[in-house]
C-alpha cells in the first residue's frame, strides 16, 4: 500500500491541506466545503456517472480559463487549482440537476425520503428552484422486493449507486440495471424478495426515495421528528453501531451509525430490521407475580412484587443468580455484586462458557490481536475455519468480500483505489486468497479460492495442518493427502500476504477449531507476519460475560432457595430436562427480562426490564471493544434497566450496600474497578456529568415537532421531559447545538445536509475516523511484540462415521438463529423453519424422500422435523437449524439417531 | 399638563369620527376571507381527505402545536391516522397553511373559539375536517403526484407518460 501524504490544493484561491490518496470531491468534502454529488459514495468509490460534481480545473496560477472536470474522477495532486464557485461550473451543475429532475415525480410530501433526501439537499445546493420542463414525465411500474424494501422507481435519477452496492460491493446477483437510455430500470428480473443479507443498505445508499425502509413505512415518521441516541446492535457479536429512532413511545427504525473501525457505512438486515421485539406483543411491561402454586402469574404493583422477592431472600436464604450474554456489563455486574461472585453464573451454557473463555484467553494473550471489521476488510489473505459468516456474523461477510479485492487492487499499479470503474476493469473479477472450511455450503463461496466442507473435527485438523505447514514446530495433524496439499496451498497464500487473517468462532461448538485458528495465527506471527484473528461470538455481550464470569462456567447445578435469572431464556442454554430440573429445584424463581419466553412462563415473579432502546449500558463485542449504547426513549410504566431492578431488590431486602448504585456511572466504575480486564470500560463514552458549554446534548433535532400537541389528548399541560441521570444526553430538543464527541452523536445532521450523507461533516477525513476518533475502547490489545505462546497441541482425531448415528451439527441462519430479531415481524416472515438436513446420499441410504418427516433423537427427546436435502453437507452429518425455539438449548455437535416418522 | 390637555382634545375630536365599535355578538363583524382564524382540514374535489400526512405543517409550526401520525390505505394512499391541533397553544400565524403542499390545512375567518376548559381547545381530526375544498377548489395532490393510489395507476397522473416496459429494447 502506498503511503498517504498531505498535499495542498487550492480551491477558489484558498489553500487546503488534504490527503493525496483522495479524489478532489473527497478532498473538498474533507476540507469542509460543499460540493454536490450523486454517484460517488465514500465506500463505493467514483464512476463519474452523474456529472454533478463538476468543478473548474486550472493548469496553474496563471490559467484564467480552466476547464470543467468531474471532481470525483480527478486525483487530489499537490498544487491542484480548482474552483467550485466558478460561474460556468455552477451553471453546469445547475443544468445537470435540472435534467435529473425532468422526470422526477411530484412526490416529496408522500415520499419517505423527504426531509432526509440527498436529492432534495443537492437540488437546494445547486439552486434549482423552478420547473421549466412542460413535457410528459416518464414513469415505471414498481416491484415487490419483499418485507424489507419498498420500491418506487419513478424517483430514480440513474446514479447507479444501488447496483454498485448490491452487485459489486455485496456480491449478490438478483438485482440489476435493465433496459436503456432514459428508461434504465433498477430492480429484479421479476418481483421477489431480495436475496442479499444487506439489502437494507439500499435505503441509505440510494440518494433518492426509490428504496425506502418498508418496516418504517408501517409507522412512518420524518427524520426530524424522531428521538434518537447512539446505540449498538444487539443481534450478533459484532457490535455494529446504530441509530434507533423513536416517536410516541414506539421504536420506529434502525439506521447505520458510522464507525470507521467497526461497521463503516453499512448494517446487515438482521440488525436493521430486528428491532420489532421492542414494540412486540411479547414485551413484559408490568411486574408479574404468581400468588399461588400452579396459578397464573398476574400483574401486580411493583412494591408488592419487590416485597415478595425480598421476603424470599430473607433470613439466610441461598440465592443463586444467572446473568446473560445479551445483557449489559452493568446489569451483569450488579447481579454479580448482589449475590456475590461465588453464586453468580454468566448465563451461558457450559459449552458457550468454555468457548468464550478460550477466545478471551487467546485474544488477551496475544500476539495475534483481534481484527475489527475494518481490519478484516483490509486483510489480503483469509482463512475461515468453520464459520458460515454470512449467517453467524453477517457484517464480517461483507468485510471479507472487500478483503478478496485487496491483492488484485494492490497489483493494479497506477490506479487509485477510489477509481472504482477503472479498478474493476483492470482487476476483472480477480480475487485474492480466501479459503473456506465450513460444515455446508455458504454464501461466500462465489469469492472463495478454495472451499472445503467437512465435519468439525476435520476442519480443525485442516487448521492444525496449515499451522504445521507454516511452522514445523506446530503439532502435526497427519491429514490425508488432499487435505495436506490444501493446507500447503493455504499456508503459502497466508505467508505471501501482507495482512493475513484467520476467522473462526463458536458456531460449530468446537474448541479444536478455535485452537487451530490460534495456532495458524501464531505460526504466522512466528514467521513475522502481522496475522490477526477474527472470532465470531454469538451474542452482543458474549465476550463481556466471559470476562466477568471467571468462576462459574455453565449453569448452576441446583436452584437454591431463590434463583434470580436476568435477561435470559434458560431453555436456550440447556436442554429442556436440565432446565426443568434446575427451575424445579429452586424454591422461587425470579426473572428480570423484557420479552416473554419459556423461562418467564416458569418464573414465580417477573420484573419488566428495559430493552437496548430504553436503557444505557456497555457491551463488549467480538474483538473486545467496549461500546456504550444510550437510552433512545424513556420507557413507560415500571419498565426500567435490569441493574435498577437489582438495586430495588437489594433495597427492599435491606441489603442496599450490596447494590448501592443509583446512577449508571457508579455501576460502570465499580465494575471497572472490580474486574481488571474491564478496567477501561469507563472510557467507552463520556460520563453523565459531561457537558458542552454547560449543556446536555439533545436527542431530538432542532426541528422536532408536536411538543405541545403530542400529549395534549391526555393532559393539555405539557409534561416535563423525563430526566436522564445516567447520560449527558437529554430527552429534549434543547441543548448543545454543535457537534458532540463521537460516542455521543445522536444523529448526523448538518445545515444543508439532511440525509445520511451528513456524516461527511462529522469525519476527520471522508471515510476516515469520526472527528476525535471512532467510539469504543479496545479492552484486549495485546502488545504485538510479545512472543507467541506455546502451540495448542491437542489435535482431534479425524471424523469417523458411526453406524446408525449421525453427528448433529448446527447450521446458522441470519433470520431465525437469533433470539430477539426473530420476534420482529419482517424478520420472522423470512426466518428459517425447523428442519433436519441430510446429504441426499445419506437420506437414500435411510430410504428417505424429500418432504419426509424425521424423528431425531436428541438427548432422549424425539423431535419431529421435516427432512431437507443438503448436498453440500458431508456424509454422516445431520444439520439442524441453530438457535431455533425448541432446539436452541441442545448442545451441538452431538451424536443422534434418526428414524423416519409417519406423517401425522 | 399641556400633554393632558392635548390628549383630551384628541379624544374629543373622536366624537366626530365614524363609529368602529359594533355591538358584538348581536351585530356580526365582517371578516375578510384571508383572516387567520380556526384551522380546518379540507377535502379534495373528489371528496377524499386532502392531507397526505407529510408532517410539514407540524415542522413549520412555531409553538409545535400540531401532531399527527401517517398511515396508508390498502392501495398506498397516505393520510393521517390522527391529526391534532392544540389551539390553546396555536398562535394563528398561518405557517402551517403556507407549508402545506396540498392545500389541506387552511385558516378560516372563524375566531369564536373561546372555552372555559383549556382541554376543550384540543381538536382532533374529526373536529378539524370539513366537507369541502375550502379556499382552493380545484387542487388534487394525488392527481399530480407520481404515487399510485386506488383508482390511479402509474402513468395516469397529470403530465405522465404510460409506464415504460423494462424488457423492451426498442429505441
Ligand atoms: S426522492 Fe427526494 S426529491 Fe424525490 S420525491 Fe422523494 S424526497 Fe422528494
Ligand atoms: S435507484 Fe437510487 S441508487 Fe439506484 S440508480 Fe436510481 S437513484 Fe441511484
Ligand atoms: S452484523 Fe451483527 S451487529 Fe452488525 S448489524 Fe448485523 S446483527 Fe447487528
Ligand atoms: S402540511 Fe398539509 S398535507 Fe402535510 S401533514 Fe400538514 S395538513 Fe397534511
Ligand atoms: S459524483 Fe462525480 S460524477 Fe457523480
Amino acid at each position: 500500500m502506498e503511503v498517504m501524504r498531505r498535499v495542498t490544493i487550492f480551491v477558489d484561491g484558498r489553500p487546503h491541506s488534504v490527503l493525496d490518496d483522495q479524489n478532489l470531491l473527497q478532498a473538498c468534502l474533507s476540507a469542509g466545503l460543499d460540493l454536490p454529488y450523486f454517484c460517488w459514495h465514500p465506500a463505493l468509490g467514483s464512476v463519474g456517472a452523474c456529472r454533478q460534481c463538476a468543478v473548474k480545473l486550472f493548469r496553474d496560477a496563471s490559467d484564467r480559463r480552466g476547464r470543467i472536470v468531474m471532481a470525483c474522477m480527478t486525483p487530489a495532486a499537490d498544487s491542484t487549482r480548482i474552483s467550485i464557485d466558478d460561474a460556468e461550473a455552477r451553471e453546469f451543475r445547475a443544468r445537470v440537476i435540472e435534467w435529473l429532475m425532468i422526470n422526477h415525480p411530484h412526490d416529496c410530501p408522500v415520499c419517505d425520503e423527504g426531509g432526509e433526501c440527498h436529492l432534495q439537499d443537492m437540488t437546494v445546493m445547486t439552486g434549482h428552484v423552478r420547473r421549466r420542463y412542460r413535457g410528459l414525465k416518464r414513469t415505471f411500474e414498481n416491484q415487490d422486493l419483499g418485507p424489507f424494501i419498498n420500491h418506487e422507481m419513478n424517483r430514480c435519477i440513474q446514479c447507479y449507486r444501488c447496483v454498485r452496492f448490491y452487485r459489486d460491493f455485496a456480491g449478490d446477483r438478483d438485482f440489476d440495471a435493465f433496459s436503456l437510455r432514459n428508461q434504465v430500470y433498477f430492480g429484479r428480473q421479476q418481483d421477489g424478495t431480495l436475496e442479499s443479507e444487506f439489502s437494507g443498505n439500499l435505503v441509505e445508499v440510494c440518494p433518492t426515495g426509490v428504496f425506502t425502509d418498508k418496516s418504517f413505512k408501517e409507522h412512518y415518521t420524518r427524520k426530524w421528528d424522531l428521538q434518537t441516541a447512539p446505540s449498538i446492535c444487539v443481534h450478533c457479536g459484532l457490535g455494529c453501531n446504530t441509530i434507533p429512532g423513536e416517536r410516541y413511545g414506539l421504536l420506529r427504525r434502525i439506521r447505520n451509525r458510522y464507525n470507521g473501525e467497526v461497521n463503516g457505512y453499512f448494517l446487515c438486515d438482521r440488525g436493521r430490521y430486528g428491532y420489532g421485539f421492542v414494540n412486540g406483543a411479547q414485551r413484559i411491561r408490568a411486574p408479574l407475580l404468581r400468588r399461588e402454586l400452579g396459578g397464573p402469574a398476574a400483574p401486580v404493583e411493583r412494591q408488592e412484587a419487590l416485597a415478595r422477592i425480598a421476603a424470599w431472600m430473607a433470613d439466610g436464604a441461598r440465592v443463586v443468580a444467572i446473568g446473560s450474554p445479551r445483557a449489559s456489563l452493568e446489569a451483569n455486574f450488579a447481579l454479580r455484586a448482589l449475590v456475590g461472585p461465588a453464586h453468580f453464573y454468566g448465563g451461558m451454557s457450559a459449552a458457550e462458557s468454555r468457548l468464550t473463555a478460550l477466545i478471551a484467553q487467546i485474544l488477551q494473550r496475544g500476539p495475534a490481536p483481534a481484527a475489527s471489521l475494518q481490519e478484516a476488510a483490509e486483510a489480503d489473505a483469509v482463512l475461515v475455519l468453520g464459520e458460515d459468516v454470512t449467517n453467524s456474523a453477517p457484517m464480517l461477510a461483507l468485510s471479507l468480500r472487500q478483503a478478496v479485492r485487496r491483492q488484485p487492487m494492490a497489483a493494479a499499479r497506477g490506479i487509485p483505489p477510489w477509481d472504482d470503474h477503472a479498478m474493476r476493469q483492470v482487476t476483472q473479477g480477480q480475487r485474492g486468497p480466501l479459503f473456506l472450511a465450513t460444515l455446508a455450503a455458504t454464501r461466500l463461496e462465489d469469492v472463495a479460492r478454495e472451499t472445503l466442507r467437512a465435519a468439525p473435527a476435520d476442519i480443525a485438523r485442516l487448521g492444525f495442518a496449515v499451522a504445521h505447514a507454516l511452522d514445523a514446530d506446530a503439532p502435526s495433524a497427519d491429514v490425508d493427502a488432499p487435505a495436506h496439499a490444501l493446507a500447503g496451498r493455504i499456508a503459502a497464500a497466508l505467508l505471501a500476504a501482507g495482512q493475513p487473517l484467520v476467522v473462526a468462532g463458536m458456531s460449530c461448538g468446537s474448541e479444536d477449531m478455535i485452537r487451530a485458528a490460534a495456532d495458524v495465527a501464531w505460526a504466522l506471527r512466528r514467521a513475522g507476519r502481522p496475522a490477526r484473528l477474527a472470532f465470531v461470538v454469538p451474542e452482543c455481550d458474549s465476550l463481556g460475560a466471559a470476562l466477568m464470569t471467571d468462576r462459574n462456567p455453565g449453569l448452576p447445578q441446583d436452584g437454591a432457595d431463590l434463583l434470580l435469572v436476568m435477561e435470559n431464556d434458560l431453555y436456550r442454554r440447556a436442554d429442556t430436562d436440565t432446565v426443568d430440573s434446575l427451575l424445579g429445584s429452586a424454591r422461587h424463581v425470579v426473572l428480570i427480562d423484557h420479552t416473554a419466553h419459556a423461562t418467564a412462563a416458569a418464573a414465580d415473579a417477573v420484573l419488566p426490564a428495559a430493552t437496548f432502546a430504553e436503557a444505557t449500558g456497555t457491551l463488549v463485542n467480538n474483538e473486545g471493544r467496549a461500546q456504550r449504547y444510550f437510552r433512545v426513549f424513556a420507557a413507560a410504566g415500571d419498565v426500567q434497566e435490569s441493574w435498577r431492578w437489582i438495586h430495588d431488590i437489594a433495597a427492599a431486602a435491606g441489603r442496599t450496600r450490596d447494590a448501592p448504585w443509583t446512577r449508571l456511572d457508579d455501576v460502570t466504575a465499580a465494575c471497572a474497578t472490580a474486574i481488571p480486564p474491564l478496567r477501561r470500560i469507563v472510557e467507552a463514552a463520556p460520563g453523565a456529568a459531561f457537558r458542552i458549554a454547560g449543556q446536555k446534548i439533545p436527542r431530538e433535532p432542532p426541528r422536532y415537532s408536536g411538543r405541545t400537541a403530542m400529549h395534549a389528548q391526555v393532559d393539555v399541560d405539557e409534561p416535563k421531559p423525563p430526566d436522564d441521570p445516567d447520560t449527558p444526553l437529554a430527552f429534549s430538543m434543547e441543548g448543545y447545538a454543535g457537534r458532540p464527541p463521537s460516542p455521543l452523536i445522536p444523529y448526523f445532521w448538518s445545515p444543508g445536509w439532511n440525509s445520511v450523507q451528513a456524516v461527511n461533516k462529522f469525519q476527520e477525513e471522508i471515510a476516515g475516523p469520526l472527528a476525535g476518533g471512532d467510539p469504543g475502547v479496545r479492552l484486549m490489545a495485546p502488545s504485538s511484540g510479545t512472543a507467541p505462546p506455546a502451540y495448542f497441541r491437542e489435535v482431534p482425531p479425524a471424523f469417523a462415521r458411526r453406524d446408525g448415528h449421525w453427528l448433529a451439527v448446527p447450521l446458522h441462519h441470519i433470520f431465525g438463529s437469533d433470539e430477539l430479531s426473530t420476534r420482529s415481524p419482517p424478520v420472522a416472515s423470512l426466518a428459517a423453519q425447523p428442519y433436519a438436513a441430510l446429504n441426499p446420499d445419506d437420506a437414500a441410504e435411510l430410504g428417505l424422500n424429500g418432504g419426509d418427516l424425521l424423528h431425531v433423537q436428541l438427548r432422549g427427546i424425539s423431535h419431529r422435523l421435516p427432512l431437507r436435502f443438503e448436498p453440500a453437507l458431508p456424509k454422516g452429518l445431520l444439520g439442524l437449524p441453530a438457535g431455533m425455539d425448541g432446539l436452541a438449548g441442545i448442545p451441538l455437535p452431538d451424536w443422534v439417531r434418526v428414524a423416519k416418522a409417519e406423517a401425522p | 399638563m399641556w400633554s393632558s390637555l392635548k390628549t383630551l382634545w384628541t379624544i374629543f375630536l373622536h366624537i366626530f369620527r365614524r363609529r368602529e365599535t359594533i355591538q358584538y355578538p348581536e351585530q356580526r363583524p365582517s371578516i375578510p376571507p384571508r383572516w387567520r382564524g380556526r384551522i380546518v382540514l379540507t377535502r379534495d374535489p373528489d371528496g377524499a381527505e386532502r392531507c397526505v400526512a407529510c408532517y410539514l405543517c407540524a415542522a413549520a409550526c412555531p409553538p409545535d402545536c400540531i401532531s399527527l401520525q401517517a398511515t396508508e390505505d390498502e392501495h398506498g394512499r397516505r393520510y393521517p391516522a390522527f391529526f391534532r391541533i392544540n389551539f390553546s397553544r396555536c398562535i394563528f400565524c398561518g405557517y402551517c397553511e403556507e407549508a402545506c403542499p396540498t392545500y389541506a390545512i387552511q385558516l378560516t375567518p372563524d375566531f369564536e373559539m373561546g372555552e372555559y376548559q383549556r382541554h376543550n381547545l384540543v381538536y382532533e381530526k374529526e373536529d378539524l375536517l370539513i366537507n369541502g375544498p375550502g379556499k382552493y377548489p380545484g387542487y388534487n395532490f394525488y392527481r399530480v403526484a407520481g404515487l399510485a393510489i386506488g383508482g390511479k395507476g402509474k402513468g395516469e397522473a397529470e403530465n405522465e407518460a404510460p409506464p415504460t416496459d423494462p424488457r423492451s429494447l426498442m429505441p
Side-chain angles (χ1 to χ4, degrees), chain A residues 460-644:
Chain A
R461 289 168 62 79
L462 175 74
F464 284 111
V466 173
H468 185 70
L470 286 165
D471 180 358
D473 284 349
S476 144
D478 277 333
V479 290
D480 56 12
H484 182 77
L486 174 60
R489 293 192 295 275
I490 297 173
L494 293 176
L495 207 53
Q499 312 267 335
L501 172 72
V502 187
V503 180
M506 294 169 56
S507 302
C508 300
S510 156
E511 281 160 286
D512 296 326
M513 259 184 228
I514 293 170
R515 294 199 182 104
D519 274 7
V520 175
W522 293 339
L524 284 165
R525 284 270 160 181
R526 284 227 161 84
R529 300 294 183 281
R532 288 184 176 271
L533 281 163
F535 285 121
V536 174
V537 299
E539 283 162 278
C540 59
D541 196 35
S542 288
L543 270 200
L547 293 175
M548 187 163 310
T549 25
D550 31 11
R551 233 187 251 227
N552 299 322
L555 298 181
Q557 293 306 315
D558 81 301
D561 293 328
L562 176 62
L563 181 64
L564 266 175
V565 186
M566 185 191 71
E567 301 191 36
N568 208 334
D569 179 7
L570 300 183
Y571 288 94
R572 297 179 67 86
R573 309 291 172 184
D575 58 85
T576 313
D577 285 348
T578 311
V579 180
D580 280 347
S581 81
L582 169 60
L583 295 175
S585 71
R587 287 192 41 209
H588 300 288
V589 177
V590 173
L591 174 79
I592 306 172
D593 207 345
H594 45 71
T595 304
H597 43 60
T599 308
D604 301 307
V606 181
L607 299 175
T611 62
F612 75 95
E614 300 139 347
T616 306
T618 314
L619 299 171
V620 180
N621 79 350
N622 72 319
E623 37 149 350
R625 181 187 301 271
Q627 306 189 96
R628 186 86 28 91
Y629 62 96
F630 293 87
R631 261 167 114 184
V632 177
F633 62 107
D638 287 330
V639 173
Q640 62 178 3
E641 295 91 336
S642 296
W643 65 265
R644 285 214 152 86

Side-chain angles (χ1 to χ4, degrees), chain A residues 31 73 84 189 192 306 308 340 345 350 411 426 443 448 478 484 513 597 651 753 756 783 856:
Chain A
M73 297 301 287
I84 296 178
Q189 195 266 339
L306 286 169
R308 190 69 72 92
Y345 293 76
V426 169
R443 296 262 285 139
D478 277 333
H484 182 77
M513 259 184 228
H597 43 60
W753 294 80
V756 283
S783 78
V856 180

